Amino acid sequence: MVKKVICKLDGNDGSFPQPSKSSFIYRVEPGTTVSFQIEAGSVVNTENTVLILDIHRGTNPETQATPGSFSPLGHWICDVTFSTPGNYNIFIEYTDKVSKEKLQGSVNYLIVDPEIKIGGKVIPINGICMQSVLSRSLGPINRWFEVLKHQNGLGYNLFHLTPIQELGPSQSLYSINDPNKLNPELFPGLETEEAKTQALQNVLAQLESEGVGCIQDVVLNHSADGCPFLEEHPNATYNLKNCTYLTVAYELDKALCEFSTSLWKRCVKNYGNRNRIENERDLSNIIRILRVELLPSLRLQEYFQINTEKAYEDFKNNETHKTLDINLAQELLSKGTEYFMKKYAVIGEGEGRFLTTINGELVWRAFNTLKMNRDTILSEAKKLINGINSYLLGRYERHQGEIISNIEGDIRYHKIEQNNVEITPANPLVKPYFYQLRSGDVALFNGFIIGYNEVLKDFADKEGWQYFRRNVVIWSDCIKLRYGSSRDDCPELWDRMENYVTNIARIFKGIRLDNAHSTPLHVSEYLLSKARLANPNLFVIAELFTSDQNTDSLFVRRLGINCLIREAMMANNPRTLGRLVYEHGNGEIASLGSLEETDLNNSSLLGIQHESGATKLIAWPVPAIFYDCTHDNETPAQKRTAQDALPNAAMVALCNCAISSTRGYDELIPKQLSVVTERRLYKLPVIEEQKVNEIKVFEAENEEYIKVFVEYTRGEPAREIFIKGEWDGWANPIHLEKSGENNMWKSALLFPKTYAGREFNYKYIVDGVWLHDPKFRFSGTGAYTNNILSVNPQAISPGNSENLCPAKKYLNLLHTYLAENGYNELYVHQCTEDMAMVIRQNPKTLESYVLVSRSAHYNSNEAIAFNGLKLPGLLDRVEFIATLAMKNTRFEEHHDFVNGLAGNLEFTTNLAQFCNVSRDITENVDVLNFFRIPQAFIAIVKTKLNAETLEGIEKGYEILASFNNCKRVFEGLSLQQVNHILWRCSQEELDASGGKRDVYGIPGYKAFSYAGLGGLVVEFLPLTIGNRLGHEIFNNLRQGSWLIDYNVSRLQQYELPARLQQFIHDHFGKIKSLPRGVIPKHFVKTVFLLFRNIKLYVLRDLFKGSKLFNDSDDSLVDYLGVAVSQFWGRVPSARSHIGADSLSAGLPHFSLGFMRCWGRDTFISLRGLLLCTGIWQEARETIITYASVMQNGLIPNLLDSGNNSRYNARDATWFFMQAIQDYIKMSPEGPAILQEMVKLRFKNGEIDHSDTPPIQLAEIVHIILQAHARGIEFRERNAGTRIDAHMRDEGFNIKISFDPHTGFIYGGNRWNCGTWMDKMGSSPKAGNKGVPATPRDGAAIEIVALLYSSIDFFAKLFEEGKFPYQGVTLADHTNLSYHEWKTKIEQSFENYFFIPEDGNSPQVNRKHLGIPGIYKDTLRSSLDYTDYQLRPNQCIAMAVASKLFNPEHAAFALNQITKYLMPGVGRGQVGIRTLNEEDRDYKPFYDNSNDSNDYSIAQGFSYHNGPEWVWPVGYYLRALLTFDPSKKDFVMKCLKEHRTYIENSAWMSICELTDRGGKENKFSSMAQAWSVSTLIEVLYELR
C-alpha cells in the first residue's frame, strides 16, 4: 500500500512547515506519495505555479517540473510519488500576480531513504547491525569471505571496510596514494586493476548471496604525501602560488623547522646545546627562546603592514566616480565605514613584506557612495591607510601570542605527556605544516582544529589565519586537497575524485564519508550526486563533527546523508549513555506510548473526506548509526572497564536506529587498533557450538515443538543428574548432560506447541538425592518444595564464553528482529546511577522487549538490589541474561592475529538467580524485584498484554478504523446529541448536570474548554507536535483513570444510542486495564478516532442535505461544519415553550438561560448553521419558535425561553424575515412553511393562556410588514433597572417610523441602540453610563436593505400566488403594495446613501464628510457625523440586496472598505474593523474591565468602535463576490486567515471579535455562532 503524506507549503514562499525542532529533517521511505498543497489566495498560488524537483546530478541537475492541479476552491495540489532515493531540492516556481515576473520560492530539502537489499532481502535502516573492519587485518582478498561470513554468523548484516585503495608511504589506511587503484597488498598475484576489481566484486557477490553487505570509506579531504598526482597537479593543493597569503605561515613554519634542526644538532646555545625537553622548566626555556629571539628576528609583522606612501599614491591614481553595488552599499551603510574597510578593502595580507595594501577602486566607490567630495576622500583615505596599519599591527600582536601559546601546548602534549622528549629528525620540535614537492613547491598538510565549529568555512583560507596561528593539528602523511569553488578551478582533481567515488558506489552498498565536515559542501554535493547516478540506492553514512545539531542537519539535508556516526564511548557516565540511547533512538518522537499522527491534523487543504487516513509529512531527528565503539575510539578497557563492553553493547543494541561495532570489540581487545601501525590479521575462531541434548516430552504428529532449557549448576562434582516432573505424572526421569565449565548440566525439553503457557512442577535428582534448585522458581515448603517449569520459547541455551560473541550474536539478531517487526517505540529509564531499563515496544501488539542493564563504567565488586521495577506488561519469557567478568590472567598480544582479553561471559535464562517476579494487580503488570545485580549485568525479557485486554483493544480499533465500520455505532445521533458528545462549555455542562459536573480540569494545569471529546481533541492535537508525553494531561492519565471515568460517566448519563454507550464503556474499560505508561497513547488515539468518525457522521449523514458538506473537499468547510454542532444543544435553563433544543449565540458568554438565545444572532446564524447544512427540522423549529413570540410587529432580541422576551432590537426582525426567505429558497418544504399555524404566545404583553386560535406564519410576516408601514411606538415592558441596569429612561422608548417618500424605516433615539452595535456605556467614573456608544438611530443601511429584500421577495411570492397579501395600509389609510414599496426604496437608495468620490451631492453634509466613495452608515442619526462613519454595515446591505446598488459605486466602496477596514488581510486579520483608523472615535481594542476615566474605552465602551468583528466579514466577502467576481483569489486570501485561526483555536471555532490585527481579545466569546455561520455562507456561495 502506497503511503500518502501531506505537505502544506507556506503561502508566501513555498517553504515546508517549520519542524518541531529546527535541527529535524524531512525524510520519507521510497514509494511514498507526498501531496504538496498551497492554499488558495496565497502569494505563490498562481495559475502558472509549478513544483520543481531537483535531485542533485552534479553540474547538470535533473529537474522535474510538475504543474499540479486546482481544487474547486482554488487550492493548488501536486501529488508526487518519490520512487528514486536521494536528496531532493524542492521549490516552487510561480508568476508574481502584479508584475507577472517569474519567481522562485524557498528551497526545501527532502531525503528519500535508500532501499538496502542484501541477498534479496530488504534491511530496514534501523535494523542494520554493522561492523567496522580494518581492511589490512582482513588479509588477502581470498580470505575475506571466510572472515566476514563468520562475523555475519554473529548477526552483523553489513560491514564497513576502511579504504582498500593504494596507500601512501606511511601505510596509514586513510593516507591514500591513488584512490583509483586498489591496494596490491590486499590483492596478491593480481597485476591489473581490472583483475583486482573483478576479484573484489566476486567476493562481494558471494557475501551478498549469504546475506552480507559491505560499504567502504570515501576519503575526499586529502591525499598521501608523495602522491604522483599532486606532483603533476600542484594546483590541487594549497600552495604558495594559488594561496599566496600562506607565505607568512610558510616563513614561520620554515623557521620552526630550522630551529628544530638546531635543537637536534644541539646547536642552541641558550638551551645549553641540549636536544631533550623533559619537563615544564625545559618547555619554559624553549618558549622563551621562541618569544624573545626567534619570532622577533623573523619580523613577520611586515607581512601585515602597508607601505603607506605607496598605497596613498596608488589610491590617488585609481580615482573613479562610480559607487558600490546595492548589496555592498547596504552593508557599508548598516555596518559603518570602519567595519567595511577592514573587511573588504585590505588586500595582499601575508603575501610578502609590506605587500599589504588597500583596494583603491573599492575605497573610492565606498566614499562616493557616502557622497564625499574629492578633497574629503583624499583626507579620509590617508587616515584610513594609517588606521588599517595600526589595526593590522594590533591583530598581528594578538596572533603572535596565540602562536606561542599553541606551540607551547603542542610541545607539552607530544613531548612531555607522551614521553617523546628527544628532538630528532623523526621527532621534531613541532610537526611541519608544509610538504616539499619534487618541483620545489610546497603544499599544505591536512589536519584538524580542536574545538573548531565553523565547519562551513575552509580553515586553510586566510580569514582565520589558522595555519599561521599554529591552530591546526596536522596529519603529516596527508596533503590537503584544494577543490576551489567549482570544477573549473581544478578539473583534474574533480574528475579523479568523481571516478573514485562512482567506482565505489557501483561496487558497494554504501559509503562512509570520512571527516565529512572537512570537505566543502559543494564538493560533496557534486560527488554524491554522481555516486547516486551509479547507485540510486546508495547508503551514505558520515563521520561528522560540528558540535551543532543545526549544522549537522544542514549537512544531512544538503548531502542526503542517511546516518550520522554517533559514539557510545563518548558517554562519560551511565546517565549520559542512557540519554544518547534515547536521543539517537528517536525517543523524542517515537518514545514508549508515542502519540500517533492522525488525519485530524494532517494539514490537508482538501479536508478529511478526501484525505482520509493521510498524515502530514513529519520531520525527524537526524538519523544515527550508533556505535558501541568505533575504530577511532578507545575501547571500554581503556576508557572504562573491560567488562563494561557487555552492558554498553546491550544499551546500543536496544536503540531504535542503525547500530555498529568494530571488529575486536567482541573479542575484548584491550586497546584500539591503529589504522597506521596495525598489521595483525583477524583470526577465525573455532566455532564451538555446544550441542544440547533434546528430549521430546511427548510425541506429537504434525505439530511444532517449544524448546525449554533446563539447567543445574552444582558447586561440587556430581556423577549424574536427572529431573522428573508432573508433565508425565513423575514417571520418567530425564537425563541432564554435563556442559562446559563450572559443573553445569543441562538439556532441552521439547513440548508440543499446544502446551504453550502451561506450568509444571519438577525436581532434580542429583546422585539419587531429590532436590530443588533455589535459583529457579519454586513453590511449597520442606520436602514438598518443587521447582516450576514454564512452557515458553527460550532464545538461548545457557553457557559461558571467554569473549562477548554469544551475547553479541543474540543482541544483533534481536536488534534486527525488533526493527523488522515494528518494535519502534523506545523508553529509557535510569533506575540508579549505573542501572538502566530500556524498553522497545511494538505499538500495535504492545509486546515489548525489556533490557535491564547495570554498567561497569567504574570498578565495583558489590552487587546491588533493586525492587519494584515495573514491566510494561506481563512477563512472557526470559530472553537472555548475562554477566561479564574478566579472568585474572596476564594479557599477551598475539604476534600474528588480533586477540583480546580473557573474559568470563556467563549467560542463561534463569531469572530466579537474580530476582523474583510479583504482579501489580491494579495495573495488571509484572514487577521485577532484584535481590542481586552484579556489575556488567544485562537481562532481557519479553512482555505481552493480557490476551483478553489485547483482543478487546484490537476489536475496538477495528470498529473505529473506518467510518463504515463504526457508522452503525453512531446511527441515529441527532445534532444536539453530537453537541453533548463533543462539546459543552463549563456553563452548559453545569446546567445540564444540575450543577453536579463541570468541565474536566487538570490540577496544576487548567480546565478544558469543553466537557466533551472536542475539548480533549483541542488539547491533544498540539501535543502530538513534538510528542509531548511529559505534559500535565498525560501525567494525570498515567497517575489514574479519572479523566477516562469522567468521559465514560458523562456519556452514560445522557440519552444516547445504547450501542454507542456500550462501545464507549467497553473500549475505555479496556484502555484502563493497559499498563499506565501507554494509557495516554491509547486514550488519545481512541478520542481522535471517535472524533474523526463523529465528524464524518456530521458531514456525511447529519448534513446529507448539503452538497457543500456532504462531499466536502476543503478543510475549512470541514472545520466550520463540525463547529456547527457547538451551538445547537439542549440546555435546561434555555428550554423554550416550544422545544428543548436551542441555538446558542456564542460560547462561553452566551450559553445559558436568557443570555443564550438572541433573535438577531439566531437569524444571522440560521442560514449558515442550519440551512447550508441541510438541517431543515432544526431551522424550521427555530423560525416557528421566534414567530410565536412576535409582538408589536417585532421579533425579540432576547428570547428568554419565551417568558420575558425583550423587544429592543430594530434589526432582529429583519434578520428573521431574511431567514424565512432563505428557508423558503433552500429547504425542500419551500413556501409551504408559510401555511404553518403558529400560536402566538403573547397577548397585550402577557402570556396568553387562552384558546386564541393560531395563525399562519404568512400572516405573522404580513403583521410585521404592516406594523412597520404604520409605525411602531411603545415602552418596553418592565422598563427600568430590572431589564437594563445602565440604560437611561428615554432608552426604553421604542419608536419606528415609515417615510412614505423614500420607503425607508427610521427608528431608535440617542439613548438606545437598536442594531447589533449595541454597547451601552456603564462607567459612572468615566461619564459614559447610560450612553450608547453607537446608537445608530435613524435609518440604518442594513435595515433598509433587509427591508427591501423582504418586500421584494414577498411581492414576487404574491405574484406567484404563494403569499396571500399584496401590500400594507399606511397610517393615513392609503394602501401601498409591496411592489410599490420596493420601487420607492430602489428609487431613493443610491441618492440618499451613496457619498460620491468628490463629495458633491445635495444629500451630503460636507461638514461631516470623511472618507468619500462609500455608503452612509445611517440616515438622520441624532449624531449627524455618525451617518458618515465608515463601518462594515454597508457590506450586509450589499450582500442581501445587491439590486439596490449601482455596481460601480458598490465596487468602489468595497475597495475603500478593503483599504480602510481590512488592511491586515494576509497578516493575521480575521475580523473586519468596525470603524476606520482615521475616525476620531476609533479605538482598536476592547477591554470590558477597564476602570479608567477615559470616556471612550471605560467598561468596554469601544466594543464597536474599532475592534475587529468576524461575522460581518462573511457579508463583506459575499459582497465582493457579487460586485467583483475577479476578487475570488482575494476572498480565498481572507479565508486563509480563518483556516489558520480555527486550526489553532483552543475552542476549535471562530471567535466573536479580536483586537487590531487579529490579536486575541480575552473578553470575546471564543466560539461565536454568527462568525461560523457567515463564513459558511461564503463557502456555500463559492461552491
Side-chain angles (χ1 to χ4, degrees), residues 429-555:
L429 179 68
V430 291
K431 291 181 179 180
Y433 274 12
F434 290 85
Y435 174 77
Q436 194 81 33
L437 298 173
R438 288 196 302 268
S439 64
D441 292 331
V442 294
L444 204 58
F445 282 122
N446 196 19
F448 64 96
I449 302 174
I450 297 173
Y452 185 73
N453 298 329
E454 297 184 77
V455 296
L456 296 176
K457 296 180 179 179
D458 182 356
F459 64 76
D461 202 355
K462 76 172 187 177
E463 183 175 343
W465 298 100
Q466 304 293 350
Y467 277 88
F468 174 61
R469 292 158 58 198
R470 305 296 293 190
N471 265 338
V472 183
V473 180
I474 59 102
W475 298 305
S476 55
D477 58 352
C478 298
I479 307 299
K480 186 171 179 63
L481 296 175
R482 183 177 183 272
Y483 290 89
S485 60
S486 70
R487 183 181 177 278
D488 293 340
D489 288 337
C490 192
E492 299 86 359
L493 176 60
W494 286 68
D495 292 346
R496 172 184 172 91
M497 303 310 278
E498 178 184 330
N499 191 48
Y500 163 49
V501 171
T502 53
N503 281 339
I504 291 176
R506 288 188 190 97
I507 296 171
F508 288 90
K509 294 291 180 184
I511 59 177
R512 172 189 180 270
L513 293 175
D514 181 62
N515 278 310
H517 47 279
S518 293
T519 307
L521 260 177
H522 66 283
V523 174
S524 298
E525 277 184 317
Y526 176 90
L527 294 175
L528 282 176
S529 69
K530 295 296 185 181
R532 288 192 172 100
L533 276 175
N535 179 2
N537 276 301
L538 190 71
F539 177 55
V540 180
I541 69 172
E543 179 188 40
L544 183 69
F545 303 117
T546 72
S547 302
D548 179 72
Q549 289 185 341
N550 289 321
T551 309
D552 286 348
S553 174
L554 175 65
F555 273 82

Side-chain angles (χ1 to χ4, degrees), residues 37 142 149 214 260 356 364 446 557 698 738 941 977 1023 1348 1386:
Q37 303 183 358
N142 57 8
K149 178 56 186 167
C214 294
S260 181
T356 304
W364 274 107
N446 196 19
R557 286 183 280 122
F698 303 108
K738 190 173 181 181
V941 299
Q977 287 175 318
L1023 300 180
Y1348 172 81
E1386 288 172 347

Side-chain angles (χ1 to χ4, degrees), residues 1250-1371:
S1250 70
D1251 294 329
T1252 304
I1255 60 177
Q1256 286 187 344
L1257 179 61
E1259 186 175 349
I1260 292 174
V1261 169
H1262 178 66
I1263 290 171
I1264 290 170
L1265 293 170
Q1266 178 65 65
H1268 282 80
R1270 281 180 172 269
I1272 299 170
E1273 187 170 2
F1274 64 92
R1275 184 170 173 81
E1276 282 196 78
R1277 185 169 176 265
N1278 298 321
T1281 56
R1282 284 180 59 187
I1283 62 173
D1284 194 316
H1286 307 297
M1287 185 180 282
R1288 296 190 185 189
D1289 184 71
E1290 301 96 312
F1292 295 107
N1293 298 327
I1294 306 301
K1295 182 176 181 179
I1296 298 172
S1297 60
F1298 171 73
D1299 181 350
H1301 175 67
T1302 62
F1304 302 161
I1305 52 176
Y1306 293 79
N1309 63 51
R1310 174 69 183 88
W1311 306 112
N1312 60 28
C1313 30
T1315 72
W1316 74 276
M1317 292 182 165
D1318 56 358
K1319 178 63 181 178
M1320 180 61 71
S1322 57
S1323 173
K1325 182 177 180 180
N1328 63 27
K1329 182 175 180 179
V1331 180
T1334 46
R1336 300 190 70 235
D1337 54 326
I1341 188 170
E1342 75 277 15
I1343 292 179
V1344 172
L1346 287 163
L1347 164 68
Y1348 172 81
S1349 175
S1350 294
I1351 55 181
D1352 180 48
F1353 178 77
F1354 288 107
K1356 290 176 182 175
L1357 282 189
F1358 171 76
E1359 291 170 2
E1360 295 170 1
K1362 298 175 182 177
F1363 184 68
Y1365 303 97
Q1366 182 178 9
V1368 295
T1369 302
L1370 303 181

Side-chain angles (χ1 to χ4, degrees), residues 373-435:
N373 60 44
R374 187 175 188 277
D375 290 343
T376 303
I377 289 174
L378 292 175
S379 174
E380 289 297 319
K382 187 172 288 189
K383 293 178 187 176
L384 172 69
I385 293 169
N386 291 326
I388 288 177
N389 242 4
S390 298
Y391 160 71
L392 292 176
L393 184 60
R395 192 186 68 184
Y396 168 76
E397 289 171 352
R398 291 193 300 275
H399 285 177
Q400 180 176 286
E402 293 172 338
I403 290 167
I404 293 295
S405 176
N406 288 331
I407 292 175
E408 182 179 10
D410 186 289
I411 297 172
R412 177 178 290 111
Y413 176 75
H414 286 103
K415 301 300 179 285
I416 299 175
E417 294 178 9
Q418 299 294 318
N419 199 29
N420 295 318
V421 297
E422 186 173 354
I423 306 303
T424 67
N427 183 36
L429 179 68
V430 291
K431 291 181 179 180
Y433 274 12
F434 290 85
Y435 174 77

Side-chain angles (χ1 to χ4, degrees), residues 1158-1161 1191 1193-1198 1206-1215 1268 1272 1274 1276 1287 1294 1296 1308 1312-1316 1318 1343:
W1158 295 68
R1160 174 192 301 119
D1161 300 60
Q1191 281 197 93
L1194 295 176
I1195 295 299
N1197 191 27
L1198 279 172
R1206 190 174 179 196
Y1207 297 83
N1208 62 329
R1210 306 196 314 274
D1211 58 355
T1213 300
W1214 299 108
F1215 284 112
H1268 282 80
I1272 299 170
F1274 64 92
E1276 282 196 78
M1287 185 180 282
I1294 306 301
I1296 298 172
N1312 60 28
C1313 30
T1315 72
W1316 74 276
D1318 56 358
I1343 292 179

Side-chain angles (χ1 to χ4, degrees), residues 591-606:
S591 55
L592 185 70
S594 290
L595 306 176
E596 295 182 11
E597 289 297 323
T598 168
D599 52 11
L600 283 179
N601 66 336
N602 62 16
S603 299
S604 171
L605 298 170
L606 299 183

Side-chain angles (χ1 to χ4, degrees), residues 893-1036:
E893 185 176 284
H894 197 284
H895 182 268
D896 298 317
F897 297 101
V898 175
N899 65 319
L901 300 167
N904 181 26
L905 175 76
E906 295 186 352
F907 48 96
T908 181
T909 56
N910 181 12
L911 188 61
Q913 285 181 257
F914 302 96
C915 79
N916 57 60
V917 182
S918 60
R919 182 155 296 176
D920 184 325
I921 58 174
T922 59
E923 292 192 38
N924 201 24
V925 297
D926 284 339
V927 181
L928 302 184
N929 301 296
F930 285 93
F931 48 80
R932 184 174 73 90
I933 308 177
Q935 264 205 324
F937 166 88
I938 67 169
I940 298 176
V941 299
K942 181 176 179 291
T943 67
K944 63 180 181 181
L945 277 192
N946 173 283
E948 181 183 350
T949 299
L950 182 61
E951 183 181 352
I953 289 284
E954 289 176 342
K955 183 178 179 182
Y957 285 146
E958 185 180 338
I959 293 173
L960 292 171
S962 77
F963 175 67
N964 289 332
N965 286 351
C966 63
K967 183 177 176 181
R968 60 184 180 83
V969 175
F970 304 134
E971 197 168 4
L973 278 179
S974 66
L975 187 59
Q976 67 86 8
Q977 287 175 318
V978 170
N979 172 263
H980 181 84
I981 295 170
L982 297 186
W983 313 111
R984 288 202 185 275
C985 68
S986 171
Q987 295 90 324
E988 291 175 308
E989 189 70 9
L990 285 166
D991 193 86
S993 65
K996 297 177 182 177
R997 185 177 58 244
D998 200 345
V999 297
Y1000 194 82
I1002 302 291
Y1005 177 54
K1006 68 173 185 179
F1008 296 160
S1009 302
Y1010 298 107
L1013 299 180
L1016 296 173
V1017 171
V1018 295
E1019 293 291 340
F1020 292 162
L1021 282 176
L1023 300 180
T1024 61
I1025 302 171
N1027 195 36
R1028 295 169 55 194
L1029 282 169
H1031 193 272
E1032 291 90 335
I1033 298 175
F1034 302 136
N1035 291 336
N1036 179 270

